[in-house]
Amino acid sequence: MDITAELRKIVGVRLSVSPSELYCYSSDASQVKGTPDYVVRPKSTEEVSRIVKLAYENEIPVTARGAGTGLAGGAVPIRGGIVLDMSGMNRILEIDIDNIQVVVEPGIIQDALNDALIPYGFFFPPNPGSSAMCTIGGMIAYNASGMRCVKYGTTRNYVRDLEVVLADGTVIHTGSKMLKSAAGYDLTQLIIGSEGTLGIVTKAGLKIAPLPKTRKLVIASFENAEIAGQAVVKTFSNGVIPSACEILDRVSLQVLKRYDPKLVLPSEGDVLLFEVDGTENSAREAAEQIIEVCSPLALSIKLAESETEMADIWAARKLVGAAVSRLDPTKTRIYVGEDVGVPIKKIPELLKRAQEISEKFNLPAMKYGHIGDGNLHLALFIDVLNKDEWDRLNQVADLIHRTAIELGGTVSSEHGIGAARAEYMKAQWGPAFEVMRAIKKALDPKGILNPGKLGL
Amino acid sequence: MKTVKNKEKREIKRAKELDKSEISEMKGKNQPFELDRRSVYKCVQCGTCRSFCPVFNVVGWESANTRGRMLIIKSLLEGRPPSEDVLPSLASCTTCGICAAKCPAGVNPPEVVEAARAQLVKCGITTEVQEKLRASVITSGNSFGEAKDLTHWLSETERSQLPEKSDYVYFVGCFDSYRYPEFAEKTFKVLQRFGVTLLPDEQCCASPLLRTGFREYAEKVMKHNLEQIRKVGAHTIITSCAGCYTTLKNNYPEELHVISLPEFLAEHLGELKLKKLDLTVTYHDPCHLGRHNKIYEAPRKVIQAICTLKEMKNIKENSRCCGGGGGVRIGYPDISLELARNRLEDVPECVDYIVTSCPLCVRNLRDAGGDIEVIDIVELVAMAME
């Protein structure tokens, strides 16, 4: 069968087999590579269904892709086949304030959704650092979260209903606008985080939340990251739940200051950023309590003085991951071992061991991340033209992953497994991994949906 | 139509002959594709640029955004043989530079894309439109292939009265001269009172050649213009075109003192004796004046000396490209005009004019067909001087 001709019948000019185009779809922001044979940009559920059916009948791999901002190769077609670029399906279909929900297509950019919700006084809380470019579909596929998950939870907590195209092209809905249901398996939760291996999301019904009246930011610095970790544990055990709780080690601080010299950040130590939100009174009280609890451990601690100061710090924080080249133009950030997580109590130990591993291999690392939910982004950077540095990088990443599992944590807190972390799935899950395999086999018997991912 | 096509073919043929006889540049498909690797490998493929690239916003394919272009360039550096297949991606960048302004890793994609285009030219991979542009500049000394010289809009008397020597020279540029001679006349009229002269034989500044990768040819016209500048003895070059400005300032082999018309006007506001006009206007930042050279305040100062300024939705560093630069207007007119239409969406309500300070922007924004008249800053100044 002439697959090109068949695909062209479905999507017309929104098909490409140009080698340059295919190359552009052969990677995301990770080191995983794989070139597709076809790229299509569907515009409707019907088109997706027809494409997947065609792929099913001809046993062609199908990999869905949003903005390609992933850090684990989830959207990379490592076995070739068809890439479905879903970013053109980017409409907001319904803003239903009475039910505090929205219905969107998967290609909508997270920030674009929130821009549309501001006039209503609502927002979609999960906010990854890539919110300016990542799609909601990608966030659902990888259960993305971000800085505010410590209070608001992850994408998983906001999805009410999904329209999904299954491996044979069948279209199903996994939920409804109901807040709760006791009718059978929760397929919505099964699809979230499944990385396109069980079905292709074509619509999503999402819960939204009212925008807080105010936000305040406490900036504290500590002698080292380990003490900062202790301060986080202490804050939580004192009953304060910040809306964000981030760590920036001293290397990250240097990078941020190079990125924006005007940023008001401490000049020494490792820094914690605590954001609290709510009403003016509740936010102020929470901020004061954090200052009281952390002061005995901190080198310095203060409240951000203005909205602008706060906004500038958050904007820079979102970009810190890629900004290391500004400190040293010969170094490039490589996203490996960047997303481990451990129970909050184990954070100081994770920070200590990460530092030891980095020193042992003589590979400097930035440590930043959502320390409030135990998620550490270890940012390794190397001279990409130096093979020895690549070797050391991969060894460090491997050890970091194994350390996280050993501490009862996860190899990925919010970026996903994709192909980059597939080898650790068995070690992390044990026999439960076989259940995942069984589910995959039941829903995708021919193995056409994003093959080679999740270690399945 | 047929005659025009024949003329184009003749021009391309002539340029190719010139290529053999006058330029010693080695060309051919077996030439290696070489670039400063670090400038490319700094890109971490995070995709931040994807949200801002105005061409991608219109086209939708990954190859049409900055990250896609960087990936394609990386593949060429890693040994993928260059072919025509890369042109729709690499030739469709307007070099507007919003990606550079937003890139967390500090990559400068317009520089990388222009360098890659130059390598493609070296490998003999060009579009027909590129060749046509090159032919025009080489055969006529201007980007439109016009037979008239760049000061054709002067009267014989004015021409005869031009000072042979001056500290200041007005570099007219192809666009003002051939497409908007009224801008050139008005600009010269304003500048004349400060003793500014013109080059006896100005040629294209080389911007179209540099943006599209013809570096060897660009050097030739730059050399010619430098000789002309020396002949006049000018220490300062004033230009009213954003493309000419950035080229003269940043690409010429010798360091020149170049100032843009808005800067010159802003410096001499007191001497211009401008009257206040009961107008409200908005200002479009040309990419090559704004983001590339950070000239944001001078045009605003001039406008505010004359009338009320109401800003567009995205301004200064965040200004959106009109679609006219980087060879995109000539190579991909549909995409280019779509960009211009998108830019017009940023225009605030209740303004009398859209003012800008680049003739390419004027043309593209005018051609996009909005309701509000687009004018060059010199026209606003001329109104205030009447």
Side-chain angles (χ1 to χ4, degrees):
Chain A
M1 185 181 270
D2 183 349
I3 301 297
T4 306
E6 293 302 312
L7 286 171
R8 203 168 296 284
K9 274 187 211 162
I10 301 171
V11 293
V13 295
R14 286 176 279 112
L15 160 74
S16 180
V17 290
S18 137
S20 285
E21 200 61 63
L22 298 178
Y23 194 83
C24 291
Y25 285 86
S26 67
S27 57
D28 55 8
S30 72
Q31 296 306 309
V32 177
K33 303 271 183 280
T35 310
D37 300 300
Y38 318 89
V39 181
V40 289
R41 295 193 294 128
K43 279 284 185 193
S44 66
T45 303
E46 192 220 336
E47 285 184 358
V48 175
S49 167
R50 286 173 67 193
I51 294 162
V52 174
K53 191 164 181 279
L54 176 75
Y56 184 76
E57 284 162 0
N58 294 279
E59 300 196 15
I60 301 166
V62 179
T63 303
R65 176 184 169 107
T69 55
L71 297 166
V76 177
I78 56 174
R79 308 243 169 102
I82 301 166
V83 162
L84 289 174
D85 176 348
M86 303 296 287
S87 62
M89 286 177 68
N90 59 358
R91 293 175 301 164
I92 297 173
L93 300 170
E94 190 186 357
I95 296 180
D96 180 0
I97 296 299
D98 293 341
N99 278 311
I100 326 176
Q101 287 180 35
V102 293
V103 180
V104 299
E105 289 185 324
I108 180 122
I109 304 285
Q110 206 266 6
D111 275 1
L113 173 60
N114 273 337
D115 286 348
L117 291 174
I118 287 172
Y120 299 92
F122 283 83
F123 76 128
F124 176 66
N127 66 328
S130 56
S131 63
M133 57 270 193
C134 73
T135 64
I136 294 291
M139 289 178 70
I140 292 169
Y142 296 86
N143 187 28
S145 45
M147 292 185 277
R148 298 209 169 100
C149 123
V150 59
K151 175 172 177 179
Y152 289 95
T154 68
T155 300
R156 191 178 287 291
N157 304 104
Y158 292 87
V159 184
R160 288 275 166 264
D161 180 26
L162 293 172
E163 182 184 80
V164 182
V165 174
L166 298 178
D168 63 356
T170 309
V171 181
I172 61 161
H173 273 261
T174 62
S176 70
K177 283 191 175 178
M178 285 293 297
L179 284 180
K180 59 183 189 178
S181 165
Y185 295 148
D186 191 338
L187 297 180
T188 307
Q189 293 300 320
L190 179 64
I191 295 295
I192 299 164
S194 67
E195 305 194 356
T197 61
L198 302 179
I200 313 289
V201 173
T202 47
K203 274 190 197 92
L206 308 170
K207 186 176 81 163
I208 51 178
L211 277 165
K213 299 268 184 300
T214 189
R215 288 180 174 132
K216 293 192 185 297
L217 182 66
V218 176
I219 306 156
S221 75
F222 301 85
E223 203 178 320
N224 59 47
E226 211 183 324
I227 300 176
Q230 289 164 10
V232 172
V233 175
K234 214 172 146 198
T235 303
F236 279 80
S237 59
N238 269 270
V240 185
I241 303 292
S243 51
C245 178
E246 297 287 301
I247 186 168
L248 292 162
D249 76 344
R250 58 199 72 211
V251 187
S252 312
L253 277 186
Q254 273 178 289
V255 169
L256 281 183
K257 284 187 170 172
R258 184 64 62 95
Y259 179 72
D260 182 357
K262 298 188 300 297
L263 284 178
V264 185
L265 285 170
S267 51
E268 54 171 357
D270 298 300
V271 164
L272 287 182
L273 303 171
F274 291 98
E275 185 196 76
V276 286
D277 68 4
T279 61
E280 185 60 36
N281 281 344
S282 66
R284 197 186 55 244
E285 274 172 28
E288 282 166 0
Q289 204 181 340
I290 290 170
I291 291 172
E292 196 189 318
V293 169
C294 293
S295 285
L297 293 169
L299 293 175
S300 71
I301 190 158
K302 64 164 260 191
L303 195 64
E305 279 163 19
S306 68
E307 293 267 330
T308 325
E309 189 181 321
M310 207 161 86
D312 288 349
I313 290 173
W314 282 136
R317 158 61 191 89
K318 280 191 165 192
L319 297 173
V320 68
V324 71
S325 299
R326 289 177 184 256
L327 198 63
D328 179 351
T330 65
K331 301 289 184 193
T332 303
R333 165 82 190 272
I334 306 293
Y335 292 92
V336 289
E338 86 293 347
D339 192 35
V340 293
V342 292
I344 297 175
K345 205 179 160 186
K346 296 284 175 74
I347 286 169
E349 193 175 345
L350 176 67
L351 286 164
K352 187 168 151 261
R353 286 174 65 174
Q355 185 61 31
E356 284 166 6
I357 294 168
S358 148
E359 280 169 11
K360 184 181 166 198
F361 286 87
N362 191 24
L363 211 58
M366 288 195 288
K367 291 187 287 299
Y368 66 94
H370 319 308
I371 194 164
D373 54 48
N375 182 190
L376 180 73
H377 293 320
L378 187 78
L380 299 165
F381 41 96
I382 59 164
D383 175 352
V384 291
L385 302 177
N386 183 329
K387 194 188 165 295
D388 174 55
E389 290 196 18
W390 274 108
D391 290 344
R392 281 186 279 144
L393 171 92
N394 289 324
Q395 290 179 68
V396 169
D398 182 55
L399 278 175
I400 293 288
H401 285 137
R402 293 188 191 284
T403 303
I405 295 173
E406 206 183 303
L407 294 174
T410 176
V411 291
S412 176
S413 308
E414 57 182 14
H415 296 170
I417 296 298
R421 287 179 266 270
E423 66 180 288
Y424 304 104
M425 283 293 276
K426 210 164 180 184
Q428 183 169 326
W429 290 111
F433 188 54
E434 291 311 314
V435 179
M436 293 191 200
R437 276 193 205 278
I439 292 170
K440 167 74 176 171
K441 195 142 184 72
L443 286 182
D444 181 19
K446 291 187 180 178
I448 63 160
L449 295 175
N450 207 4
K453 304 298 166 60
L454 288 174
L456 295 166
Chain B
M1 199 63 195
K2 205 174 173 184
T3 328
V4 174
K5 276 207 167 162
N6 285 340
K7 189 179 165 228
E8 283 170 15
K9 278 186 184 161
R10 280 199 305 277
E11 281 172 353
I12 292 169
K13 196 175 162 216
R14 194 175 154 203
K16 280 185 176 162
E17 283 163 8
L18 279 169
D19 186 9
K20 283 177 198 154
S21 60
E22 294 183 16
I23 310 284
S24 59
E25 180 184 14
M26 287 290 291
K27 284 181 59 178
K29 295 221 173 193
N30 294 324
Q31 289 290 305
F33 185 94
E34 293 161 336
L35 274 186
D36 168 20
R37 284 177 180 248
R38 291 207 188 278
S39 68
V40 182
Y41 285 135
K42 264 205 273 185
C43 171
V44 298
Q45 296 166 215
C46 66
T48 302
C49 48
R50 199 179 183 275
S51 294
F52 301 98
C53 177
V55 174
F56 174 65
N57 185 29
V58 168
V59 176
W61 290 105
E62 281 288 339
S63 66
N65 70 45
T66 309
R67 179 177 59 180
R69 295 187 182 103
M70 298 298 286
L71 276 167
I72 287 175
I73 293 167
K74 213 183 270 186
S75 76
L76 297 176
L77 278 173
E78 287 169 357
R80 191 161 75 98
S83 72
E84 272 76 12
D85 180 62
V86 304
L87 287 171
S89 167
L90 298 185
S92 66
C93 169
T94 65
T95 66
C96 77
I98 196 158
C99 48
K102 301 289 177 187
C103 177
V107 182
N108 189 333
E111 261 182 33
V112 176
V113 166
E114 283 178 12
R117 287 174 180 174
Q119 288 298 305
L120 290 177
V121 166
K122 194 181 79 177
C123 299
I125 294 163
T126 51
T127 63
E128 197 156 321
V129 169
Q130 264 177 288
E131 289 296 344
K132 188 187 152 201
L133 194 64
R134 176 180 69 145
S136 295
V137 181
I138 296 299
T139 54
S140 64
N142 62 73
S143 54
F144 297 109
E146 295 272 356
K148 298 175 280 191
D149 73 40
L150 269 115
T151 54
H152 67 94
W153 41 272
L154 282 177
S155 70
E156 278 311 312
T157 326
E158 284 171 321
R159 194 187 294 265
S160 65
Q161 288 169 354
L162 276 177
E164 280 183 17
K165 298 273 176 190
S166 174
D167 289 342
Y168 294 90
V169 69
Y170 166 39
F171 193 94
V172 188
C174 305
F175 239 96
D176 273 1
S177 180
Y178 299 113
R179 293 297 176 263
Y180 300 113
E182 66 277 18
F183 293 178
E185 281 176 48
K186 284 173 183 165
T187 305
F188 189 55
K189 205 172 154 194
V190 174
L191 296 177
Q192 226 174 354
R193 67 178 67 188
F194 299 97
V196 175
T197 192
L198 301 170
L199 294 180
D201 181 26
E202 178 186 320
Q203 288 196 1
C204 171
C205 69
S207 172
L209 296 174
L210 287 166
R211 307 298 148 238
T212 54
F214 295 110
R215 290 188 170 171
E216 305 280 339
Y217 295 94
E219 275 169 26
K220 201 165 164 275
V221 284
M222 290 195 282
K223 193 171 159 229
H224 172 87
N225 285 330
L226 280 172
E227 280 163 9
Q228 293 285 307
I229 293 164
R230 272 196 287 273
K231 215 171 183 176
V232 171
H235 60 56
T236 299
I237 300 141
I238 305 158
T239 175
S240 52
C241 168
C244 296
Y245 175 84
T246 200
T247 305
L248 289 160
K249 179 138 184 131
N250 303 317
N251 299 117
Y252 267 53
E254 284 176 30
E255 204 172 303
L256 299 171
H257 183 235
V258 188
I259 60 172
S260 67
L261 181 67
E263 287 174 299
F264 187 87
L265 295 171
E267 273 175 32
H268 295 87
L269 276 178
E271 296 145 84
L272 289 169
K273 297 192 175 54
L274 301 171
K275 64 181 179 203
K276 280 274 181 189
L277 301 174
D278 182 21
L279 293 174
T280 300
V281 304
T282 193
Y283 178 69
H284 163 73
D285 288 284
C287 304
H288 283 101
L289 208 57
R291 256 190 308 271
H292 283 255
N293 290 291
K294 311 279 178 273
I295 299 172
Y296 299 123
E297 300 312 322
R300 287 175 168 79
K301 193 174 163 193
V302 174
I303 290 169
Q304 282 164 332
I306 297 170
C307 60
T308 306
L309 172 67
K310 200 171 172 184
E311 292 283 10
M312 293 180 105
K313 192 174 159 198
N314 295 293
I315 61 166
K316 300 182 182 176
E317 197 170 80
N318 298 320
S319 174
R320 293 205 284 175
C321 176
C322 78
V328 174
R329 169 62 198 236
I330 183 168
Y332 303 91
D334 293 344
I335 295 174
S336 174
L337 283 176
E338 192 67 33
L339 261 66
R341 281 191 281 274
N342 289 341
R343 179 55 171 158
L344 289 181
E345 286 174 8
D346 287 349
V347 174
E349 285 181 356
C350 305
V351 292
D352 299 297
Y353 294 107
I354 300 164
V355 180
T356 187
S357 37
C358 171
L360 269 90
C361 298
V362 169
R363 183 182 66 169
N364 240 33
L365 293 174
R366 280 183 181 175
D367 289 355
D371 300 331
I372 300 158
E373 196 179 338
V374 184
I375 61 170
D376 191 90
I377 197 162
V378 76
E379 292 188 290
L380 185 71
V381 170
M383 281 187 235
M385 288 174 78
E386 276 163 9

